[in-house]
Amino acid sequence: MVPAWLWLLCFLVPQVTLETEDRRVLWGPQPVRVHVKDENDQVPHFSQATYKVRLSRGTRPGVPFFFLEASDGDEPGTANSDLRFHILNQAPAQPASDMFQLEPRLGALALSPEGSTGLDKALEGHYRLLVQVKDMGDQASGHQATATMDVSIVENTWVPLDPVHLAENLQVPYPHHIAQVLWNGGDVHYHLESQPQGPFEVDTEGKLYVTGELDREAQAEYLLQVRAQNTHSEDYAEPLELQVVVTDENDNAPVCPPRGPSASIPELSPPGTKVAKISAEDADAPSSPNSHVVYQLLSPEPEEPAELKAFELDSTSGSVTLGAAQLQAGQNILLQVLAMDLGGTDGGLSSTCEIPVTITDINDHAPEFTTSQIEPISLPEDAEPGTLVTTLTATDADLEPAFRLMDFAIEAGDEEGTFSLDWEPDSGHVQLRLLKNLSYEAAPSHKLVVVVRNVEELVGPGPGPGATATVTVRVERVVPPPQLDQESYEASVPISTPAGSLLLTVQPSDPMSSPLRFSLVNDSEGWLCIKEISGEVLTARSLQGAQPGDMYTVLIEAQHADEPTLSTSVTLVIHFLKALSAPTPTLAPVPSRHLCTPRQDHGVVVSGPREDPDPAGGHGPYSFALGPNPTVQRDWRLRALNGSHAYLTLGLHWVEPREHVVPVVVSHSDQIWQIQVRVIVCRCNVEGQCMRKVGRMKGMPTKLSAVGILVGTLIAIGIFLILIFTHLTLARKKDLDQPVDSVPLKAAV
């Protein structure tokens, strides 16, 4: 510890440094606080020697109605100034000796539970209390003081309030006094609460005010609570309730419901069909004249009073129904309805309500064709399937797209299913197309009945059957042009070939087809000719002017003998070869032979010329080759057997069964011959025998020639019979003219 003399030195010396074992302290001139220890030398005293207090009989027990005030001059916060309050005496002591209670620390005076119960029985209206205040926290050594309290008992004025009725939108100066409360028990503070929150207030004297206009539609009633409280905001008694009722004024017009979607009414709906119901809301008091709403239809109205109404309105319920006037699909109508309060009497408020109405379509119209009879249409019998015959159009008077969907069908005239219909579901156009091949022989004309119907079911009065359209299709007979056995022909001819030499034969591709007539076109040099019936092409004259290596092209035209307008043309190309050293012999065509198709292991033997025109008189050897025609070289094969014969076979597995003329070129030294080998290609049996179809053989008469022969034969027979009859007649006449005596007698028996 630091000695006392060293402390004194610190006050006298300007700066002293103190050092101890554990620290170093610098001391200098500084303010010095001297603490004087408090002694309990002050006596507490009350703010007044006598207190006069009023106590209402309605005060709740335990709620302080007065606060004692006392002070002590000793240091605050110490035991010397710690005050405690006590009641030393109560006079009178009836009906109980402990009518009051005093909180020791706060000095809050309140009724005790016994005092609250006995206060109503007490006849006395005045009590005197001797109270004490003591310091030192109520210790025995503390100082004390006393005071007197005169408590006057007064009647309870805190009584319930009657409801207050206030008109909404009240035009008065604000704040406006509406009620009065009174707590006569002494020091009081009034507090006001409003449920819900409203424009109300209370002043210090307990007067209640409304501070602004009220709106019944916003809030029809308020519940006010007024509290009488002490300085510590504690209620002396239960709060008083005041009911404020806001009375109604006709300050609200009927409010129309929000405009919603259109009311959809199907067309042809009967009168009385419900359209809509208008229900206007009036915010004024329910079940009062102010909120009694009636209705009146403003539009649409008929142009003339005598006309039928499209709509009817119930003025009380606001229900709108259909009238007797007919409405059309697609109409959009805006109904205007006047809603009036006060039951429609004068002075009421009103609003105009709107109801959109749409007249919707129903499927009451059947589709119809724009044309029920179609002009006859001609089609060739070779028209391809899928060919468009005609397009029909149907219309539907309905408005709804779903009601205009159509279904088409061929109702009659197409038992074989030769035709078909093609259409889009949402289109009124239907295409009549060919589905199968036509045949003039089977049906030269078709009378088709096409029907159209709605996809959706028809409604309404008398929908009736589907509409029809009649289409007549005429089939034009088509005879195909003639077909030849080759698409083009070629022949190689020495320029020394004499007139009348056979070059080749043109034949139809089908030997059983109708007979053809052949002719040459564009034979500018006149070197060639063709037999009209057989199709054999020969040299018409010597080939004077032709040069080896040149080509000469003509057209061969083939016409149907029965249909001259049907014809076909092919080209014939002649390749000129150099002249032979000696005249080329005219070789007779090789007799016809037959080969089987499909190909079998046999062929035709082709021999060289029987007479060798070689001046040296030698024979062979010969060279054999197929003609230059590409088709011939494709379909046939030729190989030499020896110096005088060659072997002709099929070059393909399958060759069309008919008679073929195969040109074979035979050469020896400088000489060239062309042989026309006739081969009948046919189907064969297992023994290799030809099973040729029976038909008209080449050279047989046509129908016309056969008829001519028959007629000629009949005429000849008739002439012969006439001659015999004439001869017999003349002989009989001669016998009659002879004398009787010249007639020989019959021999006697």
Side-chain angles (χ1 to χ4, degrees):
M1 260 187 92
V2 180
W5 61 268
L6 189 56
W7 283 108
L8 180 60
L9 183 61
C10 291
F11 287 101
L12 299 177
V13 181
Q15 179 171 331
V16 178
T17 301
L18 299 180
E19 291 188 6
T20 61
E21 295 178 356
D22 57 347
R23 60 182 176 175
R24 181 180 181 186
V25 182
L26 293 179
W27 295 88
Q30 294 184 17
V32 178
R33 175 178 295 177
V34 178
H35 179 71
V36 180
K37 183 179 180 181
D38 182 46
E39 297 291 338
N40 188 18
D41 55 352
Q42 299 293 321
V43 178
H45 60 273
F46 285 100
S47 60
Q48 298 181 28
T50 301
Y51 296 93
K52 295 186 179 296
V53 181
R54 289 190 304 170
L55 174 63
S56 174
R57 291 183 182 273
T59 303
R60 292 190 299 180
V63 177
F65 60 88
F66 189 79
F67 289 88
L68 292 173
E69 294 181 1
S71 60
D72 190 304
D74 292 319
E75 183 178 0
T78 63
N80 297 334
S81 61
D82 185 10
L83 304 182
R84 296 287 190 271
F85 299 92
H86 301 279
I87 298 176
L88 299 179
N89 184 43
Q90 169 192 318
Q94 287 82 21
S97 60
D98 53 352
M99 294 283 289
F100 302 93
Q101 62 185 24
L102 184 61
E103 205 282 325
R105 293 179 179 275
L106 299 178
L109 182 64
L111 276 176
S112 65
E114 294 79 3
S116 176
T117 304
L119 189 60
D120 294 334
K121 303 177 181 179
L123 300 178
E124 295 292 337
H126 180 271
Y127 286 89
R128 173 165 288 184
L129 302 178
L130 179 63
V131 294
Q132 178 192 59
V133 60
K134 188 177 182 181
D135 62 11
M136 292 297 290
D138 208 18
Q139 295 182 17
S141 60
H143 299 288
Q144 63 181 5
T146 59
T148 302
M149 296 187 66
D150 291 332
V151 180
S152 300
I153 307 301
V154 296
E155 294 299 323
N156 184 14
T157 58
W158 195 250
V159 294
L161 301 174
D162 294 330
V164 175
H165 292 77
L166 294 177
E168 64 176 334
N169 306 318
L170 185 62
Q171 301 299 314
V172 295
Y174 290 95
H176 176 62
H177 180 259
I178 59 173
Q180 172 74 56
V181 294
L182 178 61
W183 178 262
N184 62 350
D187 192 13
V188 62
H189 299 275
Y190 296 105
H191 177 72
L192 178 65
E193 296 177 357
S194 173
Q195 292 294 332
Q197 187 66 36
F200 303 96
E201 66 179 20
V202 62
D203 64 7
T204 58
E205 297 179 357
K207 294 180 179 179
L208 277 67
Y209 298 91
V210 58
T211 59
E213 294 183 9
L214 301 178
D215 184 359
R216 194 208 66 83
E217 288 70 41
Q219 183 63 40
E221 291 186 0
Y222 296 89
L223 182 62
L224 307 184
Q225 284 190 337
V226 186
R227 299 178 180 274
Q229 298 178 335
N230 60 22
T231 56
H232 287 214
S233 299
E234 295 175 296
D235 291 344
Y236 286 125
E238 293 294 328
L240 295 181
E241 292 186 348
L242 175 63
Q243 183 180 15
V244 178
V245 178
V246 184
T247 58
D248 185 43
E249 296 290 330
N250 190 25
D251 58 342
N252 290 278
V255 177
C256 299
R259 181 172 170 179
S262 296
S264 298
I265 303 299
E267 63 174 331
L268 303 182
S269 296
T273 299
K274 183 177 180 180
V275 177
K277 183 177 182 180
I278 192 74
S279 180
E281 298 290 338
D282 194 306
D284 291 319
S287 303
S288 70
N290 296 338
S291 61
H292 181 203
V293 180
V294 296
Y295 304 94
Q296 178 185 348
L297 184 63
L298 297 180
S299 66
E301 287 291 335
E303 296 181 358
E304 299 295 336
E307 291 185 5
L308 298 176
K309 293 183 178 180
F311 299 93
E312 299 287 347
L313 172 66
D314 188 320
S315 62
T316 302
S317 66
S319 178
V320 181
T321 57
L322 285 181
Q326 192 69 38
L327 297 174
Q328 300 298 323
Q331 282 185 272
N332 292 310
I333 304 169
L334 185 63
L335 298 180
Q336 290 186 328
V337 178
L338 185 65
M340 303 170 289
D341 63 11
L342 291 182
T345 59
D346 294 339
L349 303 177
S350 64
S351 298
T352 300
C353 306
E354 294 181 342
I355 305 175
V357 178
T358 298
I359 307 303
T360 58
D361 188 31
I362 63 173
N363 193 18
D364 60 333
H365 292 90
E368 296 181 354
F369 285 107
T370 55
T371 303
S372 60
Q373 292 289 337
I374 308 299
E375 293 293 330
I377 300 169
S378 297
L379 283 181
E381 64 176 339
D382 62 348
E384 293 291 333
T387 300
L388 177 64
V389 179
T390 187
T391 299
L392 303 176
T393 301
T395 59
D396 193 311
D398 289 313
L399 301 179
E400 184 67 28
F403 298 154
R404 295 201 301 268
L405 297 179
M406 305 176 195
D407 192 13
F408 298 88
I410 300 177
E411 192 174 53
D414 189 31
E415 290 75 11
E416 300 298 327
T418 308
F419 300 88
S420 66
L421 297 176
D422 186 16
W423 73 95
E424 294 294 333
D426 56 349
S427 171
H429 305 287
V430 58
Q431 294 179 338
L432 177 64
R433 292 186 178 273
L434 189 63
L435 185 62
K436 298 180 180 178
N437 292 321
L438 296 172
S439 173
Y440 177 84
E441 290 77 11
S445 67
H446 300 266
K447 189 174 183 180
L448 307 175
V449 179
V450 181
V451 63
V452 57
R453 297 184 178 89
N454 270 127
V455 174
E456 298 291 335
E457 183 180 358
L458 285 171
V459 296
T468 60
T470 302
V471 182
T472 301
V473 180
R474 295 175 179 172
V475 182
E476 295 179 348
R477 185 176 182 182
V478 175
V479 179
Q483 299 290 328
L484 301 180
D485 61 344
Q486 298 182 26
E487 296 180 355
S488 63
Y489 295 88
E490 295 184 10
S492 299
V493 180
I495 59 176
S496 60
T497 302
S501 298
L502 176 65
L503 303 183
L504 53 86
T505 301
V506 180
Q507 294 179 328
S509 60
D510 184 7
M512 305 303 295
S513 62
S514 300
L516 303 179
R517 297 289 184 264
F518 300 97
S519 62
L520 291 178
V521 180
N522 200 28
D523 183 15
S524 59
E525 299 295 336
W527 286 333
L528 306 175
C529 65
I530 189 170
K531 291 185 179 181
E532 183 181 11
I533 302 300
S534 65
E536 295 178 340
V537 180
L538 304 96
T539 54
R541 63 181 182 87
S542 64
L543 304 178
Q544 184 178 359
Q547 299 295 325
D550 290 348
M551 291 189 300
Y552 183 63
T553 303
V554 297
L555 291 178
I556 300 175
E557 186 176 78
Q559 295 178 330
H560 271 298
D562 299 333
E563 297 286 346
T565 58
L566 299 176
S567 63
T568 188
S569 298
V570 295
T571 59
L572 169 60
V573 179
I574 303 297
H575 300 272
F576 291 116
L577 306 176
K578 64 182 180 178
L580 301 176
S581 59
T584 301
T586 301
L587 301 178
V590 178
S592 298
R593 301 134 189 216
H594 81 272
L595 290 177
C596 295
T597 185
R599 183 175 58 194
Q600 297 186 5
D601 295 332
H602 64 272
V604 175
V605 177
V606 180
S607 62
R610 296 179 181 178
E611 297 181 357
D612 190 346
D614 185 8
H619 298 280
Y622 300 103
S623 297
F624 298 88
L626 293 171
N629 191 323
T631 304
V632 172
Q633 295 182 0
R634 180 197 66 190
D635 295 346
W636 303 92
R637 296 290 181 268
L638 183 67
R639 61 184 175 87
L641 291 177
N642 49 41
S644 59
H645 293 81
Y647 194 62
L648 179 67
T649 60
L650 295 178
L652 301 176
H653 179 73
W654 172 267
V655 176
E656 182 180 0
R658 61 180 177 85
E659 185 178 19
H660 294 262
V661 177
V662 183
V664 178
V665 178
V666 184
S667 61
H668 173 65
S669 298
D670 293 335
Q671 294 180 338
I672 298 177
W673 298 266
Q674 185 167 341
I675 302 174
Q676 303 294 330
V677 180
R678 298 183 181 275
V679 180
I680 297 175
V681 178
C682 59
R683 294 180 181 273
C684 299
N685 57 20
V686 294
E687 289 81 10
Q689 298 174 345
C690 182
M691 298 187 297
R692 188 177 180 185
K693 293 182 179 179
V694 178
R696 184 181 68 82
M697 301 300 293
K698 186 174 180 66
M700 293 186 67
T702 63
K703 294 179 182 178
L704 293 177
S705 61
V707 172
I709 293 172
L710 178 61
V711 173
T713 303
L714 293 176
I715 292 175
I717 294 174
I719 293 173
F720 181 72
L721 293 176
I722 291 173
L723 291 176
I724 295 176
F725 181 74
T726 303
H727 175 74
L728 292 176
T729 302
L730 292 177
R732 182 175 180 81
K733 184 177 180 181
K734 183 177 179 180
D735 292 339
L736 293 176
D737 292 341
Q738 187 178 0
V740 177
D741 55 359
S742 64
V743 177
L745 296 175
K746 295 182 179 180
V749 179

